[in-house]
Amino acid sequence: MMQLRFVAVLAVMMVGGLMAGCAATPNPGTESDKALLRSQVQAVIADFKREDPTIQRFFETAEAYVVFPEVVTGALIVGGAHGDGEVYQKGQLIGYADVSQGSFGAQIGGQKYAEVIFFQNEGALVDFKYGTLEFDARATAIAASRGAAEAANYRRGVIIFTLPQGGLMAQAAVGGQKFRFLPVSKNASPFEVIQKP
């Protein structure tokens, strides 16, 4: 009984820590932190393409995409997740983002996975930038595997792929994920970044 109570307290503290790690806006950190994130993002993109070469079409044709190289989850009744990433539009870095998620219910375990979200059009990207994109409880991600992206289609302008990196949970649940965006230029608003020259 004492051990179960200890595990419950530990899980709540871990989830609280994950959620508390979210500031008012994403914080990409120092230049060396940004360089590390960039190398992690590039490595994960290569991992997705190696796992499923058919995902290449989304990287080539999507209006934009965000890559979270590591989303860390923890759960013991109360669950939480957090990850930092980079946002690209037409192949160019336009900003940084973070993802957070909280959930309640019958769950236990922990997991790490990579996540990439493709935006079909500028409207979906704008929703993401202004924080109005949130996946409902029914949202599902496609697990990257050979050929999985071949028949995949956008739903409401977005499509999500995940690549497990270990853990105890059977799959990455993306329902309830919330996002925040920070443009590369500190003086630019999210709307200014998407304007055509």
Side-chain angles (χ1 to χ4, degrees):
M1 185 70 172
M2 184 70 91
Q3 287 178 335
L4 183 59
R5 189 174 299 154
F6 173 75
V7 171
V9 169
L10 185 63
V12 170
M13 287 173 59
M14 183 176 75
V15 170
L18 285 169
M19 303 310 281
C22 307
T25 59
N27 182 0
T30 65
E31 289 305 314
S32 63
D33 292 335
K34 291 177 186 176
L36 176 60
L37 179 60
R38 173 83 38 89
S39 68
Q40 291 171 333
V41 165
Q42 295 308 312
V44 161
I45 289 173
D47 290 344
F48 270 104
K49 292 178 179 179
R50 185 169 39 255
E51 193 70 27
D52 182 9
T54 65
I55 202 171
Q56 178 67 35
R57 73 180 175 104
F58 288 103
F59 283 105
E60 292 174 350
T61 62
E63 172 67 26
Y65 56 89
V66 57
V67 180
F68 299 103
E70 188 176 88
V71 179
V72 180
T73 70
L76 181 62
I77 310 304
V78 178
H82 180 75
D84 297 306
E86 290 185 328
V87 184
Y88 290 82
Q89 184 174 20
K90 304 293 187 188
Q92 300 294 315
L93 177 69
I94 62 166
Y96 301 94
D98 67 15
V99 56
S100 61
Q101 179 183 22
S103 59
F104 297 91
Q107 52 191 326
I108 186 168
Q111 183 183 43
K112 285 195 307 186
Y113 60 91
E115 180 174 343
V116 59
I117 304 168
F118 294 99
F119 303 100
Q120 183 177 25
N121 51 48
E122 207 164 280
L125 178 60
V126 169
D127 288 344
F128 174 81
K129 287 180 174 183
Y130 280 102
T132 56
L133 176 68
E134 180 180 342
F135 298 139
D136 66 27
R138 295 167 296 166
T140 58
I142 299 166
S145 60
R146 191 157 298 278
E150 192 167 13
N153 290 306
Y154 289 97
R155 184 171 179 189
R156 297 183 180 171
V158 299
I159 191 165
I160 315 144
F161 292 90
T162 58
L163 185 61
Q165 297 176 337
L168 302 176
M169 291 181 176
Q171 63 181 20
V174 297
Q177 285 188 342
K178 296 181 181 181
F179 308 93
R180 291 175 306 170
F181 173 78
L182 178 69
V184 169
S185 168
K186 292 181 181 177
N187 298 324
S189 74
F191 183 73
E192 289 168 348
V193 173
I194 65 170
Q195 296 304 298
K196 305 286 185 192

